[in-house]
Amino acid sequence: MRVARLLAIGLALAMVASGCTSEPSLKEAAAELQKDTQRLETNDVFKNPLKKLRILQRPDKDIRCDKDKFKRVLRATADYVRINEPLDAHLDQAQTLMENTLAQALGYKLEFDFSQMDAKEGRFIYGAKSDPTIKVTVYVAPEAPTWRLHAVTACLPR
């Protein structure tokens, strides 16, 4: 009787553990990245035609990245016109605007790199979502287009 109870408890724990550690499918990650594309296009900042949002690569095609695993990619650019302001101030504003959009509108957790705080040659913004796993990198450039966004899902089974 005791052995049967221990086996039942062990089996239940194994089932719970396996459910918690299973990775999402490509379908789930692709759906999330497609939602991010729509959120970006309908965001108050980027739907403004002056921002010149261009989706260069939509996350609608599977890209093989490993045996029986695939990923999806979103690439976009947009511009933040510099109007008679110092370059450092322009980059600060563009970086802050993109960080707010990624964190608040798209739900990414950002990594902050204070070593590039005053870099005039450009800055990188790194962010991620953990469920499903999507990583985003945005280059904030001193020249147009100001923002160069690259988001990619993890390498996942279909």
Side-chain angles (χ1 to χ4, degrees), residues 23-30 63 65-72 132-134 153-158:
E23 64 183 346
S25 70
L26 180 65
K27 183 178 179 180
E28 294 167 327
I63 300 168
C65 53
D66 201 1
K67 183 181 179 188
D68 299 327
K69 290 190 177 185
F70 299 85
K71 64 182 176 181
R72 295 281 182 100
T133 303
I134 300 172
T153 67
C155 203
L156 298 166
R158 284 185 171 161

Side-chain angles (χ1 to χ4, degrees), residues 7 37-38 43 50 65 67 78 98 100 117 146 158:
L7 283 174
T37 305
Q38 292 169 344
N43 182 275
L50 295 175
C65 53
K67 183 181 179 188
M98 181 55 77
N100 289 340
M117 186 175 286
T146 308
R158 284 185 171 161

Side-chain angles (χ1 to χ4, degrees), residues 122-134:
R123 300 159 189 189
F124 286 95
I125 301 169
Y126 301 102
K129 289 184 180 183
S130 58
D131 188 27
T133 303
I134 300 172

Side-chain angles (χ1 to χ4, degrees), residues 90-151:
H90 172 72
L91 289 172
D92 285 347
Q93 289 177 2
Q95 180 179 356
T96 300
L97 187 57
M98 181 55 77
E99 286 172 343
N100 289 340
T101 299
L102 290 171
Q104 295 170 8
L106 299 165
Y108 284 88
K109 183 176 179 183
L110 302 180
E111 299 173 21
F112 293 98
D113 181 2
F114 296 107
S115 68
Q116 60 177 351
M117 186 175 286
D118 293 324
K120 291 185 173 138
E121 63 277 358
R123 300 159 189 189
F124 286 95
I125 301 169
Y126 301 102
K129 289 184 180 183
S130 58
D131 188 27
T133 303
I134 300 172
K135 292 189 178 187
V136 66
T137 303
V138 178
Y139 177 61
V140 183
E143 71 281 337
T146 308
W147 296 294
R148 298 152 196 199
L149 182 141
H150 182 266

